[in-house]
Amino acid sequence: MLSVDDVSLSFGGFQALRAVSLVAMPASITGIIGPNGSGKSTLLNVVAGVYVPDSGAVTLNGRPLAYGRPEQVAAAGIGRTFQVPRLAHRLTVFQNMMAGERDQAGEGVFNLFLRPAAVSSREAEIAGRAEAMLKRLGLAHKANDYAGSLSGGQQKLLTMGMLLMSDPAVLLLDEPAAGVNPVLIEQQAALLHELKAEGRIVMLIEHNMEMIANVCDRVFVLDAGELIAAGTPAEIRADERVVRSYLGMPA
Amino acid sequence: MLDFAIYCLTIIAVWSVLGLSLNIQFGLTGLVNFGQVLPFGLGAYAAALAAQAGLPWPAGAALGLVVAVAVSLLVLLPARRLSQDYWALITLGAGELFRLTALNAPSLGGADGLTVPRFADPHLALGAALALMAVAWLMSHRIAHSPFGRLLKVLREDEVLAATLGRNPVAYQRTVSIIAWAMAAAGGVLYAHIVGYVSPSSFTVTETFIVWTALILGGPGNNLGVVVGAAAVQLLSVSSRFVASWIDLPADVLANGRLALFGLVLVLMFLFRPQGLVPEKKEVRDAQRR
């Protein structure tokens, strides 16, 4: 269980998050919506270990996270994507996927020179998994292309695949559907449902309300750093405050 | 003439080692080291000091490697919390700090420098230089085409991505610095024994600039490119001497003209062929091979 407990954060005089609390359960998809500047990305960055909250706590299965140390948070099983996908553009799709796996014998210099057999057997194992993951994402035909040459939607799929290589318990996704063509959005939604079925905690920021309605079990609404509503997508759509601050009146 | 050719090859091999070291740092990892001459100079001075103390050359070599690694960690301390632009400034400053110290410390020979026992046989010097280059090449090759090298390239492309994948960028940068600085220091030890003396004027920012020119010309990220670049720059440098004596050019004009030429090479490369003469190869996975 991922739990955000009473988290506040300000930048100078600007209060970005005000006592935000929420819980995301395993095998569930949690949506975070709200107008621009409402604190969605800030919240994601706190959970991902980029920002240190002024007060409050973020815990995964009761264990507090290493605030301000993104690499440790990632190693604790919390994977995150970015609104603009981050990839090694001048490496191939396959190499990017391989780099997603942690605990690689071949990343230690001593192993490299003194235990080459251990390095190559682990490498073969990772290559097999990377291949399977590329097939699952429908990117197998792109394996030897530079990652930078993929379309925006494919890049987003690839970053999710890279995270999945190290089998994270939590996936934080920053606007996975933004700028992605409808076919790939459907593919993404299917993937999210699979990840949910695998028992993972999925949390996403999204402006695409159709995507939210299709995949989310529970939605939290932020406005000016404050949580103003929580519920199922249907409940949120009916909430008058949410309609007023974010969704707008139906035409 | 043969002796001269042997000398040229020896020098090209030594500068290739320096280039390969810089390639691990910049070509693979994206670390902008503007003080590449520092580990080189540390190695050379360690060789000289050990020789002055009457110690055999392996002692000087060991001292050079240890000191270079220790200094790399020291230079890294402030750099670890700063972005990579500051890395360039810190390494540039550290290199100059060392040169000025050597210039002003009588125990380091001051401006006159120190003498070092030379290789008795130029063939032996060439052999040693080629052997060191081979070791540096093999190490670079192994690193570049390994999971470690793959992660270094990820780091080069995007440090935040590496952290997002659960790796600590600073830890990898530290490992890279240790390996690369030890490599450059070994080159320095050899250089001292080839030339027969060390002095501060051999370890200026210009030397760093020459290594960078070789790397950018040859192709960052490609070992062969580095050696091609080092050879081109050194041969250009040597041949300019003949041209100068032929058209009767004063030595100072020649020295500055050479630097201007290297600068022009850099600008042209950045404009028209930033990937270098021998670009980094794409690592293609061959599905048939399994």
Side-chain angles (χ1 to χ4, degrees):
Chain A
M1 184 177 84
L2 178 73
S3 148
V4 175
D5 208 8
D6 219 16
V7 163
S8 295
L9 177 61
S10 60
F11 300 105
F14 177 70
Q15 191 76 33
L17 295 173
R18 302 167 199 265
V20 173
S21 295
L22 57 86
V23 170
M25 303 300 282
S28 77
I29 302 178
T30 306
I32 299 174
I33 62 171
N36 288 327
S38 59
K40 305 182 298 293
S41 288
T42 308
L43 178 63
L44 202 75
N45 276 325
V46 169
V47 178
V50 177
Y51 297 141
V52 183
D54 296 336
S55 62
V58 183
T59 56
L60 178 61
N61 300 327
R63 293 229 304 271
L65 298 181
Y67 310 118
R69 301 299 302 269
E71 74 276 4
Q72 287 180 20
V73 171
I78 299 186
R80 70 90 53 98
T81 66
F82 296 81
Q83 207 174 321
V84 178
R86 282 184 179 272
L87 289 163
H89 289 249
R90 287 195 295 153
L91 294 187
T92 64
V93 168
F94 194 76
Q95 282 185 296
N96 270 277
M97 197 59 95
M98 296 279 286
E101 171 95 39
R102 281 196 310 273
D103 305 322
Q104 298 203 19
E107 284 182 13
V109 177
F110 288 102
N111 287 337
L112 219 54
F113 291 101
L114 302 177
R115 297 176 59 222
V119 171
S120 54
S121 75
R122 177 83 173 113
E123 187 75 348
E125 193 183 303
I126 298 170
R129 297 194 51 208
E131 215 157 81
M133 186 64 71
L134 283 174
K135 274 204 192 103
R136 179 178 177 182
L137 298 178
L139 290 175
H141 61 297
K142 296 278 183 185
N144 283 326
D145 290 6
Y146 282 120
S149 73
L150 296 183
S151 74
Q154 290 171 329
Q155 291 192 0
K156 288 192 175 187
L157 276 176
L158 176 57
T159 55
M160 283 171 71
M162 287 165 73
L163 294 178
L164 290 173
M165 282 295 286
S166 51
D167 198 18
V170 182
L171 274 151
L172 308 171
L173 309 173
D174 197 345
E175 297 203 28
V180 176
N181 76 53
V183 177
L184 279 184
I185 290 184
E186 253 172 58
Q187 197 188 334
Q188 273 186 351
L191 178 63
L192 293 188
H193 280 298
E194 281 174 37
L195 299 179
K196 173 182 164 181
E198 289 166 8
R200 296 181 212 275
I201 301 171
V202 180
M203 191 184 270
L204 63 147
I205 294 177
E206 193 48 79
H207 284 295
N208 182 331
M209 286 309 290
E210 206 178 316
M211 174 91 160
I212 290 280
N214 278 344
V215 302
C216 290
D217 300 296
R218 216 172 147 68
V219 180
F220 292 88
V221 188
L222 280 172
D223 187 24
E226 217 168 338
L227 212 54
I228 58 166
T232 63
E235 287 167 357
I236 291 298
R237 275 198 165 154
D239 189 306
E240 210 172 294
R241 247 186 111 181
V242 178
V243 171
R244 217 177 321 123
S245 79
Y246 177 55
L247 296 178
M249 289 299 176
Chain B
M1 190 60 204
L2 185 66
D3 282 353
F4 182 70
I6 286 175
Y7 175 77
C8 283
L9 279 179
T10 310
I11 290 300
I12 287 171
V14 170
W15 283 84
S16 294
V17 172
L18 267 181
L20 289 166
S21 157
L22 185 63
N23 187 40
I24 298 177
Q25 297 170 82
F26 176 73
L28 292 184
T29 320
L31 291 173
V32 179
N33 182 350
F34 279 170
Q36 177 65 359
V37 77
L38 174 56
F40 185 59
L42 288 171
Y45 266 87
L49 287 175
Q52 299 271 316
L55 297 168
W57 72 264
L63 179 69
L65 262 58
V66 169
V67 169
V69 166
V71 172
S72 81
L73 295 176
L74 201 69
V75 172
L76 253 164
L77 275 182
R80 61 180 296 170
R81 294 227 152 261
L82 300 171
S83 74
Q84 294 206 356
D85 310 331
Y86 292 97
W87 184 280
L89 294 179
I90 291 171
T91 48
L92 179 69
E96 278 296 271
L97 219 65
F98 165 72
R99 185 182 65 83
L100 292 171
T101 306
L103 187 62
N104 291 295
S107 56
L108 295 176
D112 294 336
L114 301 166
T115 55
V116 190
R118 287 177 70 155
F119 278 100
D121 180 358
H123 293 89
L124 190 63
L126 175 63
L130 287 177
L132 181 63
M133 185 178 100
V135 170
W137 175 294
L138 290 174
M139 281 183 74
S140 304
H141 184 83
R142 178 69 174 138
I143 289 172
H145 305 285
S146 74
F148 179 60
R150 182 169 60 220
L151 199 83
L152 297 183
K153 290 175 199 161
V154 170
L155 215 63
R156 171 188 78 190
E157 304 286 306
D158 190 341
E159 257 181 82
V160 176
L161 173 63
T164 303
L165 297 175
R167 270 65 151 239
N168 181 2
V170 175
Y172 286 88
Q173 289 165 348
R174 189 164 44 215
T175 309
V176 163
S177 295
I178 289 172
I179 296 170
W181 284 44
M183 197 180 274
V189 171
L190 194 64
Y191 175 80
H193 286 293
I194 289 167
V195 186
Y197 70 94
V198 296
S199 81
S201 62
S202 307
F203 308 104
T204 63
V205 178
T206 304
E207 272 65 39
T208 296
F209 173 65
I210 289 173
V211 186
W212 272 96
T213 308
L215 181 64
I216 301 298
L217 176 67
N222 187 311
N223 281 346
L224 180 62
V226 173
V227 176
V228 167
V233 166
Q234 290 305 318
L235 289 178
L236 205 66
S237 181
V238 168
S239 57
S240 66
R241 215 169 297 167
F242 292 116
V243 175
S245 68
W246 188 44
I247 59 173
D248 227 3
L249 212 62
D252 56 332
V253 176
L254 166 70
N256 289 319
R258 196 151 56 198
L259 282 184
L261 182 64
F262 290 161
L264 184 68
V265 167
L266 275 182
V267 171
L268 291 177
M269 290 308 288
F270 281 131
L271 278 179
F272 298 111
R273 204 174 161 87
Q275 71 274 37
L277 294 176
V278 191
E280 181 178 344
K281 264 194 229 127
K282 182 164 151 183
E283 296 242 345
V284 175
R285 175 170 166 76
D286 180 7
Q288 256 66 60
R289 209 174 44 196
R290 278 177 307 128

